[in-house]
Amino acid sequence: MTVSDEDRAAVAAQLGREPRGMRAVAARCPSGHPAVVQTNPRLEDGTPFPTLYYLTCSRLNSYVSRLEGAGLMKEMTDRLAVDDELAERYRRAHESYLAERDAIEPLGTAVTAGGMPGRVKCLHVHVAHSLAAGRGVNPFGDEALDLLAEWWPSGDCASTVKK
């Protein structure tokens, strides 16, 4: 896969550093800038990198951090213990993520990202997964995006962060 120089520069500006293992732009902001990148399962030096989808949109990252700071991840994790249907949907999200990553390059591990399938430890990963894979794949990514719908997607995400 190839990534344009323009997209690579936009992601570097969003991250404040050169992107590592960037394979493709998996989702874009409404302004057309990269919002999620797909990464290679191994970095250039061979180090395993199990996070297949990485959220790069500066504005969206800020909003997701607010949800994390408000304790949403603990609330989501607690729901896994009492909602069998939700836990099953989350397990399927984990399996989908793992299958997609292993189709590129198997890492020999069932570790995916964001705490799947037993807990929610990084909401950014789940939002990235939902944006890349589409709604209905990752229930917690979908829920987070629903909570943020009033603020995102809107505006020029790459150059400003809405307060």
Side-chain angles (χ1 to χ4, degrees), residues 30 55 57-70 72 76 123-124 126-128 130-131 135 140-154 157 162:
L55 189 63
C57 173
S58 305
R59 178 177 282 177
L60 187 53
N61 263 311
S62 176
Y63 291 141
V64 173
S65 292
R66 290 178 192 179
L67 293 177
E68 287 186 347
L72 185 60
M76 288 174 162
L123 203 49
H124 295 81
H126 300 297
V127 167
S130 283
L131 288 172
R135 295 192 71 82
F140 291 131
D142 291 350
E143 283 184 27
L145 286 168
D146 289 344
L147 291 170
L148 297 174
E150 181 180 343
W151 301 283
W152 194 92
S154 66
C157 302
K162 189 175 179 181

Side-chain angles (χ1 to χ4, degrees), residues 5-161:
D5 290 342
E6 183 178 273
D7 282 341
R8 188 170 296 283
V11 171
Q14 290 169 329
L15 299 176
R17 62 169 173 77
E18 288 300 313
R20 300 177 302 157
M22 189 169 148
R23 180 178 172 77
V25 173
R28 292 187 179 274
C29 295
S31 59
H33 296 95
V36 176
V37 296
Q38 183 186 64
T39 60
N40 288 311
R42 290 188 189 276
L43 298 177
E44 290 82 357
D45 67 1
T47 302
F49 192 72
T51 303
L52 180 62
Y53 295 114
Y54 199 88
L55 189 63
T56 62
C57 173
S58 305
R59 178 177 282 177
L60 187 53
N61 263 311
S62 176
Y63 291 141
V64 173
S65 292
R66 290 178 192 179
L67 293 177
E68 287 186 347
L72 185 60
M73 293 180 306
K74 181 182 180 335
E75 179 185 311
M76 288 174 162
T77 297
D78 290 347
R79 287 172 45 215
L80 289 172
V82 297
D83 187 334
D84 292 340
E85 189 269 334
L86 176 62
E88 176 60 20
R89 288 176 41 225
Y90 193 51
R91 184 191 59 73
R92 286 194 311 262
H94 161 75
E95 289 173 354
S96 169
Y97 198 100
L98 184 61
E100 242 186 295
R101 188 191 70 213
D102 283 355
I104 298 166
E105 181 181 357
L107 292 179
T109 180
V111 172
T112 51
M116 290 188 278
R119 66 186 175 120
V120 180
K121 82 173 195 179
C122 179
L123 203 49
H124 295 81
V125 165
H126 300 297
V127 167
H129 189 202
S130 283
L131 288 172
R135 295 192 71 82
V137 175
N138 188 313
F140 291 131
D142 291 350
E143 283 184 27
L145 286 168
D146 289 344
L147 291 170
L148 297 174
E150 181 180 343
W151 301 283
W152 194 92
S154 66
D156 186 355
C157 302
S159 64
T160 60
V161 177

